[in-house]
Amino acid sequence: MALRRYDGGAGGSRPENRNGSTAARPSDARPGEEGHDGPGQRTTGGRWVFPAAVAVFTALCLSLVAWNSRMPAALGPDAPADTFSAARAATHVREIATAPRPSGSAAHTRARQYIVRTLTALGLNTRVHTGAAASHRPDLSPIGADSRYADLRLRNVVARVPGTASTRPVALVTHYDSTEAGPGANDAGVPVSVLLETARALLEGPPPRNDVLFVFTDAEESGLLGAQALVAGAGTLPPDAVVLNFEARGSKGPSLMFETGPDADWLVRTLTGSAPHARADSLLDAAYRYMPNLTDFTVFQEAGHQGLNLAYLDGYTHYHGAGDTPVRVDPDTVQHQGEQALGLARALASADLTHTPAGDSAYFRAGGWSVSYPLGAALPAALATAGLGLALLLRLRTRGTLTVGAVLRGFAVALGQLVLAAGAAFGLAPVVASGHPEFAHYYDIGDHDAALIGFLSLTLTVGCALALIAKRWADAAAQVAGAVLLWIVLSVASAVLLPGGSHVFVWPTMGLLSAAAVLTSRAGATAAGRVAAAALGTVPAALLVFPLVPLLTNALGLGLVAAPVAVAALLTALLPGVLPVLPRLLPVTAAVVATAVLAGTALLPREPEEAVRADLLYLWDADRRTGHWISGAPADDWSDDFLPADAGRGSVADLWPGWRVPVRRGPAEAYPLPGPRVTTRVVSDTADGGRRVRVTAASRRGADHLVVLVSGADVRGWSLSGVAGQHADDPAGDAPWELWVRHVPARGAELELELGAGPATVRVIDRSQGLPGPAADGPDGSRPPALGVASLGEASLAATTRTLE
């Protein structure tokens, strides 16, 4: 920010410095030297005006951010009837989340019946739409394979509040199934309860102008299939419906709007105008597009629906696990998401949606204010920032204050601080979290706040130490100028690659350059000028960048704490521009704090607070007549009864081709399971040597879940019991083509494949809940969390293979 030497010599002329630049004239005084109120007039204590102002503005901005980051307090059951009440919504969570409810389970059926009863009791026209769907969603595969998913008996619940003069329907959507690993109180019991309470509160107000639909989708956790059936089935979900999707990826924290559909600027403005505590930042939307996560909103967006996707993400270590119970639900989080749902529903239900404006925007909150501008302005703003930086550099170079070489040396120091701090954090995170069993699956720990403080102290240690070590090579002026250059580079790069998130670099950089321009002008020699420079350099960064550090930690977990550390390193690189003299004890003090906090985190792990669901799978190879135990979880007393205690993680591709996630495995006693019944028939040949093949598969033991793997020949197209699959989706390389099918009728499923030339192998696996033999009793409840990413829950499988010449 400021440009000066560490020794901060006061008064007099200066010799040429080691960077080949000449010291500024007295009229060009900077913070860190004794400045002047005017030519020839020295101030008293002026060297501390700028750092003191930076400290004050930082404290004020962070207080403002904290104040406006508060979630609304949960309302009780006696809240006014036309308002959203978290207490009333909580009753729905307790009814729905009594047990895991994967699609097709008894708990899943009970949850659907409860939703229908509740909506019907409100007087809404409620229907259960049945259908089938197929999708290609490799990012959702629990085994890391290139997977397709199909379901032959989906049940979506749709309730309608009729509008008085509807211009366009509005659909509030969530899914009501859960994973097999836990009861899904948050994912998605809370969103279900939010929609039920929103429907009740909406009916307490005036009749809406537009139709409002409350949609509860099936099989989101197993391929987004309920949503796929909705967009494919004519008349179920109107093609012009505005979709508001509600999700959970944690157990607490604010509800964030993190994804938009096309031409969403008007919707973002509606959200920020209708929900006072709305949290929306286009950085989340821009970054989410590069991530492998999927929700039902993915399907609606692909179908061209406009809309918004909202979720909360703190408390990730109870996500998709046995700990996702009603006691883990945060009432304030429920209230926050509920107020957003009700506010959006009322605003959109009463609006004229005949013609909505086109265009997308960059948007964010700065303190308590919502800011937005056209997305197309992101790159011009970044280029303007780069232009200002170039102009400032030329000005200082002309004065002899800086040289290009000095700035480049400073840039190397700033980049080195970032790389070293982020690299150290990335390497230390698994060590710090090694005593926390949940880290093995979630790459996070239950309470990472203390660890984050430790890693931020580590960032300060690395930054200050490197700055002191490099000061003879690049003095303070060069280091600060290089750090600002790094900010400029990130501003332009983000505007090109991530325009929706470029504001977190562009506007702080603009503030830093403006501050530097003031400090290196005659105004910078006055106390008022230095205070103004402190405001320009501090306020944008404090309002936009500081909140990014905890947000990234919550979103990415402790395993990727290197990301928020990198952001913090960008700020610590500017410290030589704030402090008149960089104290040599600062990195030592920060190192002591970092060591104490991180060691405490490592040595004092959180004890597990509840029993967890077992992670063990029995696989019977019906062709080879061999049994196998498979677990994705770390070793524990219960699984060690079945798996060798020293079993390391390895491949099971010999049993299940395409399984890429390493697991622990071991031999099992023979519990013979009848293999699936598989018949194959070549229907016709194709001109290029390929053929159309009909495969019929059914379970001999009543399992309604099949997995079909085809290897050896390309799959050019397919359909399942009349449901068309995606074509031209053959996996690259030698990976097998894989299809997971749920709700297979007793007579079996009929799969038609268009295969390329050459022999093909078809392997069919049937899957059911429960384990054989002594494993059927499950763990005694005292074992630590078993949280493997390869886990299929408690399941038994049997496999049968057929070869087609």
Side-chain angles (χ1 to χ4, degrees), residues 399-591:
R399 291 182 177 184
T401 305
L402 277 176
T403 66
V404 173
V407 174
L408 292 178
R409 287 193 292 274
F411 179 85
V413 173
L415 186 60
Q417 291 172 330
L418 186 154
V419 172
L420 287 175
F426 184 79
L428 282 174
V431 178
V432 171
S434 60
H436 298 255
E438 68 269 24
F439 187 81
H441 176 59
Y442 292 106
Y443 296 99
D444 200 3
I445 62 177
D447 187 359
H448 55 224
D449 293 342
L452 177 59
I453 293 173
F455 281 112
L456 294 180
S457 300
L458 174 67
T459 307
L460 185 61
T461 302
V462 172
C464 294
L466 189 58
L468 287 168
I469 292 170
K471 70 177 181 179
R472 293 183 178 275
W473 184 60
D475 67 8
Q479 287 187 24
V480 177
V484 175
L485 176 59
L486 180 56
W487 278 85
I488 293 173
V489 170
L490 291 173
S491 297
V492 176
S494 62
V496 173
L497 302 175
L498 205 72
S502 62
H503 58 273
V504 299
F505 298 112
V506 170
W507 302 118
T509 305
M510 186 72 77
L512 293 172
L513 291 169
S514 300
V518 172
L519 290 171
T520 55
S521 70
R522 297 183 67 86
T526 67
R530 296 182 185 191
V531 171
L536 289 169
T538 304
V539 172
L543 293 182
L544 295 180
V545 182
F546 282 25
L548 191 59
V549 172
L551 174 63
L552 286 174
T553 309
N554 290 336
L556 302 177
L558 197 63
L560 293 176
V561 73
V565 160
V567 172
L570 291 172
L571 298 172
T572 58
L574 298 166
L575 273 179
V578 177
L579 298 175
V581 178
L582 195 62
R584 295 180 182 274
L585 285 178
L586 183 57
V588 176
T589 304

Side-chain angles (χ1 to χ4, degrees), residues 666-694:
E669 295 180 53
Y671 300 106
L673 303 174
R677 182 176 64 252
V678 182
T679 61
T680 59
R681 182 167 69 89
V682 177
V683 177
S684 62
D685 295 324
T686 59
D688 59 355
R691 63 271 199 220
R692 296 187 66 84
V693 177
R694 182 171 297 144

